[in-house]
Amino acid sequence: MMKAQFKKNGFLLLLAAAALTMQISSSQAAESAFKIPAPKSVPAATSATTETVVLAGGCFWGVQAVFQHTLGVTSAVSGYAGGSKENARYDMVGSGSTGHAESVKVTFDPRKISYGKILQIYFSVVHDPTQLNRQGPDMGTQYRSAIFYQNDDQKRIAADYIAQLDAAKVYPARIVTQLTPLQPTAFYPAEDYHQDFATLHPQQGYIARYDLPKIENFKQMYPSDYRAAPVTVFRN
């Protein structure tokens, strides 16, 4: 796995080799992004000031980075979902045997951005929802596409949207995103060194190659939802 090359004994090595740390332009490295319709299933109006959903779509560095640049998102935390607390550690999750998926807990203000818009961004620029148990160079169930929903409304809206996109044949293959209740499965924040990783290390080889293009695609496709200054975990 490509990402494993940047890990040793639970710590990430920032590679010094110029070939891996050089900036790679978006035009050279841009991942696929799809223009997709908005969900037809519209969330009911709410007076709540916060809502949360946990999303998995490959390496959590890139997923977190996109949502940290999303207007209306108040928090995006990298972590693990789908397994137990006892082995929610990067060195164990990376084996693909714990049941976890690298995930991001996205907290947002539904008065400023809807759950439907969060899903539209997730399905169009965050990852490719047709890839089974992989994203880009990263392979294994820990990189699966999954929505860990908080309630029946979130499940219904996501299921309806997946059906809508499949029916419209937006992608060359069917969506494989899993819909899984967050409880009794919980979300466990990742180690501190994983938080804000793309913001702190934009020239790191993996980030430049796979994650900066996601942010650029988001900026180009959803300019009214893009914020230049990311909302970070430790450095707001």
Side-chain angles (χ1 to χ4, degrees):
M1 292 179 289
M2 175 72 72
K3 192 177 156 193
Q5 296 175 10
F6 301 104
K7 175 175 72 74
K8 183 177 181 182
N9 297 328
F11 294 95
L12 298 174
L13 296 177
L14 299 179
L15 303 183
L20 291 176
T21 56
M22 63 183 291
Q23 290 192 19
I24 302 175
S25 71
S26 296
S27 62
Q28 293 173 312
E31 294 192 339
S32 297
F34 292 85
K35 290 186 179 296
I36 63 175
K40 293 179 180 178
S41 181
V42 179
T46 177
S47 59
T49 58
T50 60
E51 187 174 345
T52 299
V53 65
V54 175
L55 302 172
C59 173
F60 45 26
W61 294 342
V63 181
Q64 181 190 48
V66 170
F67 285 113
Q68 286 182 323
H69 282 278
T70 302
L71 283 170
V73 168
T74 58
S75 175
V77 179
S78 290
Y80 313 106
S84 65
K85 180 178 180 179
E86 287 70 25
N87 51 11
R89 303 199 314 269
Y90 188 64
D91 58 336
M92 298 185 72
V93 172
S95 71
S97 63
T98 68
H100 295 91
E102 290 196 11
S103 307
V104 173
K105 183 178 181 180
V106 180
T107 303
F108 59 98
D109 185 341
R111 301 168 304 175
K112 297 180 180 179
I113 187 169
S114 70
Y115 174 61
K117 175 61 74 172
I118 292 289
L119 293 182
Q120 189 178 19
I121 294 167
Y122 169 72
F123 281 119
S124 58
V125 300
V126 167
H127 80 310
D128 180 349
T130 69
Q131 293 195 43
L132 182 64
N133 296 332
R134 68 167 295 171
Q135 284 295 311
D138 299 317
M139 295 179 287
T141 56
Q142 68 271 33
Y143 298 112
R144 65 188 180 271
S145 174
I147 297 172
F148 295 91
Y149 56 85
Q150 296 270 25
N151 52 54
D152 288 341
D153 282 343
Q154 285 191 351
K155 178 184 179 182
R156 174 185 57 79
I157 292 167
D160 288 350
Y161 196 26
I162 290 171
Q164 174 190 337
L165 295 175
D166 275 338
K169 299 186 183 303
V170 172
Y171 306 98
R174 294 187 65 83
I175 293 171
V176 297
T177 305
Q178 298 176 356
L179 299 181
T180 305
L182 187 60
Q183 299 296 341
T185 302
F187 174 83
Y188 307 102
E191 296 82 353
D192 286 354
Y193 62 83
H194 283 300
Q195 306 300 340
D196 309 326
F197 197 86
T199 297
L200 294 174
H201 309 292
Q203 293 185 331
Q204 195 253 29
Y206 185 98
I207 298 299
R209 174 63 178 86
Y210 295 104
D211 294 335
L212 295 188
K214 296 179 189 289
I215 299 173
E216 184 60 27
N217 287 336
F218 174 49
K219 180 180 179 179
Q220 296 300 320
M221 292 176 63
Y222 301 99
S224 62
D225 297 300
Y226 173 80
R227 58 183 297 167
V231 54
T232 56
V233 175
F234 293 123
R235 294 167 174 81
N236 283 325

